[in-house]
Amino acid sequence: MTDPDSFRPEPAQILLVEDNPGDVRLTKEAFKRGRIENDLHTVSDGTEALAFLEQRGEYADAPRPDLVLLDLNLPRTDGEEVLEELKGDPELRSIPVIVLTSSRAEEDVVRSYELHANAYLTKPVDPDEFIETVRAFEKFWFSVVRLPPEGN
């Protein structure tokens, strides 16, 4: 049987859009514990996220993410605006976006899916549960799901 990790010769490029330093630290810890090689890039607001995704300014050499983890409650440009711009851009819309937020509001869930989020996860309050949640979706998205090649 073939190792599922062997299908991905290069580390996965993940963009984490998160303004809470504690959640950034927990996410990094979860990925470090996982078996899947990845490069986790972090930005702390929606304006930086769009610059990273569009490779503008200081992010001119940024890699195209294989996956975006997006908080909704962000300074400057909020997560909904980032999602709307990302999914409205023909060059970027194929990048899967997982909304990872503390909001349990039904309207946030509905609105995120209307804006074509690929998944909506509510951050657990407990740090161990948070790490387990991150590891579970990492395994799903990088071992089970087949991601689109760049440019599609």
Side-chain angles (χ1 to χ4, degrees):
M1 185 159 163
T2 308
D3 178 12
D5 295 343
S6 67
F7 291 115
R8 181 166 276 290
E10 296 176 15
Q13 300 296 320
I14 302 168
L15 176 60
L16 173 62
V17 187
E18 174 61 69
D19 64 321
N20 180 324
D23 289 349
V24 170
R25 186 181 48 74
L26 284 173
T27 304
K28 286 180 175 179
E29 186 176 327
F31 281 124
K32 197 166 28 176
R33 289 188 193 179
R35 291 180 36 241
I36 297 155
E37 282 292 308
N38 65 68
D39 292 331
L40 184 64
H41 308 274
T42 59
V43 295
S44 59
D45 67 48
T47 303
E48 282 184 55
L50 291 170
F52 187 101
L53 289 160
E54 296 166 357
Q55 298 174 311
R56 289 186 279 115
E58 68 181 282
Y59 302 107
D61 295 326
R64 175 188 169 93
D66 294 302
L67 183 73
V68 175
L69 302 177
L70 179 65
D71 188 15
L72 291 181
N73 303 310
L74 297 168
R76 300 203 296 172
T77 306
D78 73 22
E80 277 190 9
E81 291 174 81
V82 172
L83 186 56
E84 192 165 17
E85 283 207 37
L86 177 67
K87 293 302 185 176
D89 185 328
E91 296 291 315
L92 302 172
R93 74 170 51 123
S94 66
I95 298 172
V97 177
I98 298 174
V99 172
L100 183 62
T101 186
S102 53
S103 173
R104 296 182 179 278
E106 195 169 306
E107 60 268 18
D108 286 343
V109 176
V110 170
R111 182 76 180 131
S112 294
Y113 282 117
E114 284 174 349
L115 293 172
H116 305 290
N118 296 84
Y120 188 103
L121 299 174
T122 303
K123 295 177 195 170
V125 176
D126 178 73
D128 291 330
E129 286 180 33
F130 185 97
I131 288 170
E132 200 48 49
T133 298
V134 171
R135 290 188 64 200
F137 76 67
E138 177 193 36
K139 183 176 182 186
F140 175 75
W141 282 99
F142 295 112
S143 294
V144 178
V145 172
R146 185 165 176 198
L147 296 171
E150 188 174 328
N152 287 332

